[in-house]
PDB file of all heavy atoms in Angstrom:
ATOM      1  N   ALA A  17    -184.092  10.744-227.239  1.00 98.00           N
ATOM      2  CA  ALA A  17    -185.270   9.874-227.243  1.00 98.00           C
ATOM      3  C   ALA A  17    -185.271   9.038-228.520  1.00 98.00           C
ATOM      4  O   ALA A  17    -185.299   9.588-229.625  1.00 98.00           O
ATOM      5  CB  ALA A  17    -186.546  10.719-227.144  1.00 98.00           C
ATOM      6  N   ASP A  19    -187.298   7.595-230.545  1.00 95.00           N
ATOM      7  CA  ASP A  19    -188.722   7.541-230.860  1.00 95.00           C
ATOM      8  C   ASP A  19    -189.020   7.300-232.349  1.00 95.00           C
ATOM      9  O   ASP A  19    -190.145   7.530-232.795  1.00 95.00           O
ATOM     10  CB  ASP A  19    -189.417   8.846-230.421  1.00 95.00           C
ATOM     11  CG  ASP A  19    -189.548   8.939-228.913  1.00 95.00           C
ATOM     12  OD1 ASP A  19    -189.476   7.880-228.245  1.00 95.00           O
ATOM     13  OD2 ASP A  19    -189.735  10.051-228.399  1.00 95.00           O
ATOM     14  N   LYS A  41    -182.923   7.275-224.526  1.00 98.00           N
ATOM     15  CA  LYS A  41    -184.161   6.980-223.802  1.00 98.00           C
ATOM     16  C   LYS A  41    -184.974   5.984-224.626  1.00 98.00           C
ATOM     17  O   LYS A  41    -185.335   6.244-225.761  1.00 98.00           O
ATOM     18  CB  LYS A  41    -184.973   8.278-223.620  1.00 98.00           C
ATOM     19  CG  LYS A  41    -186.249   8.066-222.821  1.00 98.00           C
ATOM     20  CD  LYS A  41    -186.945   9.382-222.572  1.00 98.00           C
ATOM     21  CE  LYS A  41    -187.925   9.754-223.644  1.00 98.00           C
ATOM     22  NZ  LYS A  41    -189.132   8.911-223.683  1.00 98.00           N
ATOM     23  N   ASP A  70    -187.621   4.256-219.990  1.00 98.00           N
ATOM     24  CA  ASP A  70    -188.704   5.149-219.584  1.00 98.00           C
ATOM     25  C   ASP A  70    -190.037   4.382-219.521  1.00 98.00           C
ATOM     26  O   ASP A  70    -190.841   4.466-220.447  1.00 98.00           O
ATOM     27  CB  ASP A  70    -188.771   6.298-220.601  1.00 98.00           C
ATOM     28  CG  ASP A  70    -189.835   7.325-220.295  1.00 98.00           C
ATOM     29  OD1 ASP A  70    -190.315   7.392-219.144  1.00 98.00           O
ATOM     30  OD2 ASP A  70    -190.198   8.083-221.223  1.00 98.00           O
ATOM     31  N   LYS A  72    -192.051   4.335-216.565  1.00 98.00           N
ATOM     32  CA  LYS A  72    -192.937   5.029-215.611  1.00 98.00           C
ATOM     33  C   LYS A  72    -193.795   4.047-214.795  1.00 98.00           C
ATOM     34  O   LYS A  72    -195.018   4.016-214.936  1.00 98.00           O
ATOM     35  CB  LYS A  72    -193.846   5.999-216.334  1.00 98.00           C
ATOM     36  CG  LYS A  72    -193.115   7.065-217.145  1.00 98.00           C
ATOM     37  CD  LYS A  72    -194.123   8.068-217.723  1.00 98.00           C
ATOM     38  CE  LYS A  72    -193.452   9.134-218.559  1.00 98.00           C
ATOM     39  NZ  LYS A  72    -192.960   8.661-219.878  1.00 98.00           N
ATOM     40  N   ALA A 127    -195.106  15.535-212.682  1.00 91.00           N
ATOM     41  CA  ALA A 127    -196.380  15.732-213.423  1.00 91.00           C
ATOM     42  C   ALA A 127    -196.105  15.527-214.900  1.00 91.00           C
ATOM     43  O   ALA A 127    -195.149  16.068-215.446  1.00 91.00           O
ATOM     44  CB  ALA A 127    -196.894  17.140-213.179  1.00 91.00           C
ATOM     45  N   LEU A 128    -196.962  14.771-215.555  1.00 87.00           N
ATOM     46  CA  LEU A 128    -196.800  14.597-216.999  1.00 87.00           C
ATOM     47  C   LEU A 128    -197.015  15.943-217.690  1.00 87.00           C
ATOM     48  O   LEU A 128    -197.933  16.683-217.330  1.00 87.00           O
ATOM     49  CB  LEU A 128    -197.835  13.589-217.522  1.00 87.00           C
ATOM     50  CG  LEU A 128    -197.693  12.148-217.023  1.00 87.00           C
ATOM     51  CD1 LEU A 128    -198.882  11.308-217.496  1.00 87.00           C
ATOM     52  CD2 LEU A 128    -196.404  11.527-217.512  1.00 87.00           C
ATOM     53  N   THR A 129    -196.171  16.231-218.650  1.00 77.00           N
ATOM     54  CA  THR A 129    -196.257  17.543-219.298  1.00 77.00           C
ATOM     55  C   THR A 129    -197.474  17.672-220.208  1.00 77.00           C
ATOM     56  O   THR A 129    -197.796  18.748-220.665  1.00 77.00           O
ATOM     57  CB  THR A 129    -194.981  17.855-220.126  1.00 77.00           C
ATOM     58  OG1 THR A 129    -194.611  16.686-220.864  1.00 77.00           O
ATOM     59  CG2 THR A 129    -193.834  18.257-219.227  1.00 77.00           C
ATOM     60  N   VAL A 164    -188.179  13.451-213.022  1.00 98.00           N
ATOM     61  CA  VAL A 164    -188.468  13.919-214.374  1.00 98.00           C
ATOM     62  C   VAL A 164    -189.397  15.114-214.191  1.00 98.00           C
ATOM     63  O   VAL A 164    -190.413  14.999-213.509  1.00 98.00           O
ATOM     64  CB  VAL A 164    -189.196  12.853-215.215  1.00 98.00           C
ATOM     65  CG1 VAL A 164    -189.446  13.358-216.629  1.00 98.00           C
ATOM     66  CG2 VAL A 164    -188.410  11.540-215.231  1.00 98.00           C
ATOM     67  N   PRO A 186    -187.566  16.784-220.243  1.00 95.00           N
ATOM     68  CA  PRO A 186    -187.951  16.637-221.659  1.00 95.00           C
ATOM     69  C   PRO A 186    -188.455  18.000-222.168  1.00 95.00           C
ATOM     70  O   PRO A 186    -188.499  18.965-221.433  1.00 95.00           O
ATOM     71  CB  PRO A 186    -189.074  15.602-221.642  1.00 95.00           C
ATOM     72  CG  PRO A 186    -189.271  15.225-220.211  1.00 95.00           C
ATOM     73  CD  PRO A 186    -188.596  16.234-219.347  1.00 95.00           C
ATOM     74  N   GLY A 187    -188.835  18.019-223.438  1.00 92.00           N
ATOM     75  CA  GLY A 187    -189.388  19.256-223.999  1.00 92.00           C
ATOM     76  C   GLY A 187    -188.290  20.275-224.261  1.00 92.00           C
ATOM     77  O   GLY A 187    -188.492  21.477-224.132  1.00 92.00           O
ATOM     78  N   ILE A 188    -187.106  19.788-224.626  1.00 95.00           N
ATOM     79  CA  ILE A 188    -186.005  20.729-224.929  1.00 95.00           C
ATOM     80  C   ILE A 188    -185.907  20.926-226.446  1.00 95.00           C
ATOM     81  O   ILE A 188    -185.864  19.964-227.218  1.00 95.00           O
ATOM     82  CB  ILE A 188    -184.669  20.190-224.358  1.00 95.00           C
ATOM     83  CG1 ILE A 188    -184.753  19.975-222.839  1.00 95.00           C
ATOM     84  CG2 ILE A 188    -183.517  21.150-224.725  1.00 95.00           C
ATOM     85  CD1 ILE A 188    -184.980  21.224-222.016  1.00 95.00           C
ATOM     86  N   ARG A 189    -185.879  22.174-226.824  1.00 96.00           N
ATOM     87  CA  ARG A 189    -185.635  22.544-228.225  1.00 96.00           C
ATOM     88  C   ARG A 189    -184.322  23.319-228.184  1.00 96.00           C
ATOM     89  O   ARG A 189    -184.307  24.529-227.967  1.00 96.00           O
ATOM     90  CB  ARG A 189    -186.801  23.415-228.759  1.00 96.00           C
ATOM     91  CG  ARG A 189    -188.110  22.633-228.857  1.00 96.00           C
ATOM     92  CD  ARG A 189    -187.987  21.504-229.869  1.00 96.00           C
ATOM     93  NE  ARG A 189    -189.150  20.624-229.943  1.00 96.00           N
ATOM     94  CZ  ARG A 189    -189.218  19.416-229.333  1.00 96.00           C
ATOM     95  NH1 ARG A 189    -188.228  18.982-228.589  1.00 96.00           N
ATOM     96  NH2 ARG A 189    -190.285  18.643-229.497  1.00 96.00           N
ATOM     97  N   GLN A 198    -195.311  19.836-227.992  1.00 79.00           N
ATOM     98  CA  GLN A 198    -194.874  20.156-226.628  1.00 79.00           C
ATOM     99  C   GLN A 198    -195.394  21.530-226.229  1.00 79.00           C
ATOM    100  O   GLN A 198    -195.335  22.475-227.010  1.00 79.00           O
ATOM    101  CB  GLN A 198    -193.332  20.119-226.549  1.00 79.00           C
ATOM    102  CG  GLN A 198    -192.728  18.751-226.744  1.00 79.00           C
ATOM    103  CD  GLN A 198    -192.838  17.856-225.512  1.00 79.00           C
ATOM    104  OE1 GLN A 198    -193.669  18.085-224.619  1.00 79.00           O
ATOM    105  NE2 GLN A 198    -192.020  16.818-225.461  1.00 79.00           N
ATOM    106  N   VAL A 216    -183.639  15.857-222.343  1.00 97.00           N
ATOM    107  CA  VAL A 216    -184.129  14.854-223.289  1.00 97.00           C
ATOM    108  C   VAL A 216    -184.499  15.561-224.590  1.00 97.00           C
ATOM    109  O   VAL A 216    -185.280  16.511-224.577  1.00 97.00           O
ATOM    110  CB  VAL A 216    -185.379  14.123-222.735  1.00 97.00           C
ATOM    111  CG1 VAL A 216    -185.926  13.140-223.768  1.00 97.00           C
ATOM    112  CG2 VAL A 216    -185.047  13.402-221.429  1.00 97.00           C
ATOM    113  N   VAL A 217    -183.896  15.113-225.668  1.00 97.00           N
ATOM    114  CA  VAL A 217    -184.196  15.695-226.980  1.00 97.00           C
ATOM    115  C   VAL A 217    -184.559  14.556-227.939  1.00 97.00           C
ATOM    116  O   VAL A 217    -183.812  13.594-228.081  1.00 97.00           O
ATOM    117  CB  VAL A 217    -182.968  16.464-227.539  1.00 97.00           C
ATOM    118  CG1 VAL A 217    -183.359  17.153-228.858  1.00 97.00           C
ATOM    119  CG2 VAL A 217    -182.456  17.502-226.543  1.00 97.00           C
ATOM    120  N   GLY A 218    -185.718  14.688-228.551  1.00 96.00           N
ATOM    121  CA  GLY A 218    -186.175  13.682-229.517  1.00 96.00           C
ATOM    122  C   GLY A 218    -186.128  14.200-230.938  1.00 96.00           C
ATOM    123  O   GLY A 218    -185.105  14.196-231.612  1.00 96.00           O
ATOM    124  N   ARG A 219    -187.264  14.719-231.393  1.00 95.00           N
ATOM    125  CA  ARG A 219    -187.422  15.131-232.798  1.00 95.00           C
ATOM    126  C   ARG A 219    -186.366  16.078-233.342  1.00 95.00           C
ATOM    127  O   ARG A 219    -185.926  15.878-234.469  1.00 95.00           O
ATOM    128  CB  ARG A 219    -188.839  15.688-233.011  1.00 95.00           C
ATOM    129  CG  ARG A 219    -189.865  14.569-233.037  1.00 95.00           C
ATOM    130  CD  ARG A 219    -191.269  15.063-232.819  1.00 95.00           C
ATOM    131  NE  ARG A 219    -191.487  15.481-231.446  1.00 95.00           N
ATOM    132  CZ  ARG A 219    -192.666  15.827-230.953  1.00 95.00           C
ATOM    133  NH1 ARG A 219    -193.716  15.814-231.734  1.00 95.00           N
ATOM    134  NH2 ARG A 219    -192.782  16.174-229.684  1.00 95.00           N
ATOM    135  N   PRO A 220    -185.926  17.095-232.550  1.00 96.00           N
ATOM    136  CA  PRO A 220    -184.902  17.975-233.124  1.00 96.00           C
ATOM    137  C   PRO A 220    -183.634  17.219-233.545  1.00 96.00           C
ATOM    138  O   PRO A 220    -182.906  17.676-234.418  1.00 96.00           O
ATOM    139  CB  PRO A 220    -184.584  18.950-231.985  1.00 96.00           C
ATOM    140  CG  PRO A 220    -185.815  18.967-231.156  1.00 96.00           C
ATOM    141  CD  PRO A 220    -186.358  17.549-231.219  1.00 96.00           C
ATOM    142  N   TYR A 222    -183.613  13.312-234.063  1.00 96.00           N
ATOM    143  CA  TYR A 222    -183.824  12.176-234.966  1.00 96.00           C
ATOM    144  C   TYR A 222    -184.531  12.551-236.274  1.00 96.00           C
ATOM    145  O   TYR A 222    -184.496  11.796-237.224  1.00 96.00           O
ATOM    146  CB  TYR A 222    -184.460  10.969-234.257  1.00 96.00           C
ATOM    147  CG  TYR A 222    -185.934  11.091-233.895  1.00 96.00           C
ATOM    148  CD1 TYR A 222    -186.938  10.851-234.834  1.00 96.00           C
ATOM    149  CD2 TYR A 222    -186.310  11.371-232.589  1.00 96.00           C
ATOM    150  CE1 TYR A 222    -188.263  10.940-234.483  1.00 96.00           C
ATOM    151  CE2 TYR A 222    -187.645  11.472-232.232  1.00 96.00           C
ATOM    152  CZ  TYR A 222    -188.620  11.260-233.187  1.00 96.00           C
ATOM    153  OH  TYR A 222    -189.937  11.346-232.845  1.00 96.00           O
TER     154      TYR A 222
HETATM  155  O1  C5P B  29    -189.489  14.820-229.698  1.00 80.34           O
HETATM  156  P1  C5P B  29    -189.415  15.396-228.325  1.00 80.34           P
HETATM  157  O2  C5P B  29    -188.068  16.065-228.037  1.00 80.34           O
HETATM  158  O3  C5P B  29    -190.583  16.286-228.002  1.00 80.34           O
HETATM  159  O4  C5P B  29    -189.493  14.111-227.384  1.00 80.34           O
HETATM  160  C1  C5P B  29    -189.534  14.162-225.973  1.00 80.34           C
HETATM  161  C2  C5P B  29    -189.514  12.806-225.405  1.00 80.34           C
HETATM  162  O5  C5P B  29    -189.677  12.909-224.016  1.00 80.34           O
HETATM  163  C3  C5P B  29    -190.631  11.883-225.906  1.00 80.34           C
HETATM  164  O6  C5P B  29    -190.114  10.556-225.901  1.00 80.34           O
HETATM  165  C4  C5P B  29    -191.690  12.038-224.855  1.00 80.34           C
HETATM  166  O7  C5P B  29    -192.497  10.893-224.736  1.00 80.34           O
HETATM  167  C5  C5P B  29    -190.853  12.215-223.593  1.00 80.34           C
HETATM  168  N1  C5P B  29    -191.496  12.876-222.466  1.00 80.34           N
HETATM  169  C6  C5P B  29    -192.045  14.137-222.555  1.00 80.34           C
HETATM  170  N2  C5P B  29    -192.622  14.699-221.451  1.00 80.34           N
HETATM  171  C7  C5P B  29    -192.675  14.028-220.282  1.00 80.34           C
HETATM  172  C8  C5P B  29    -192.103  12.769-220.184  1.00 80.34           C
HETATM  173  C9  C5P B  29    -191.515  12.210-221.305  1.00 80.34           C
HETATM  174  O8  C5P B  29    -191.995  14.766-223.598  1.00 80.34           O
HETATM  175  N3  C5P B  29    -193.180  14.606-219.212  1.00 80.34           N
END
Side-chain angles (χ1 to χ4, degrees):
D19 287 340
K41 183 176 91 69
D70 180 19
K72 302 185 181 73
L128 295 173
T129 44
V164 181
I188 302 296
R189 293 296 174 260
Q198 294 282 19
V216 177
V217 184
R219 286 162 288 188
Y222 73 81

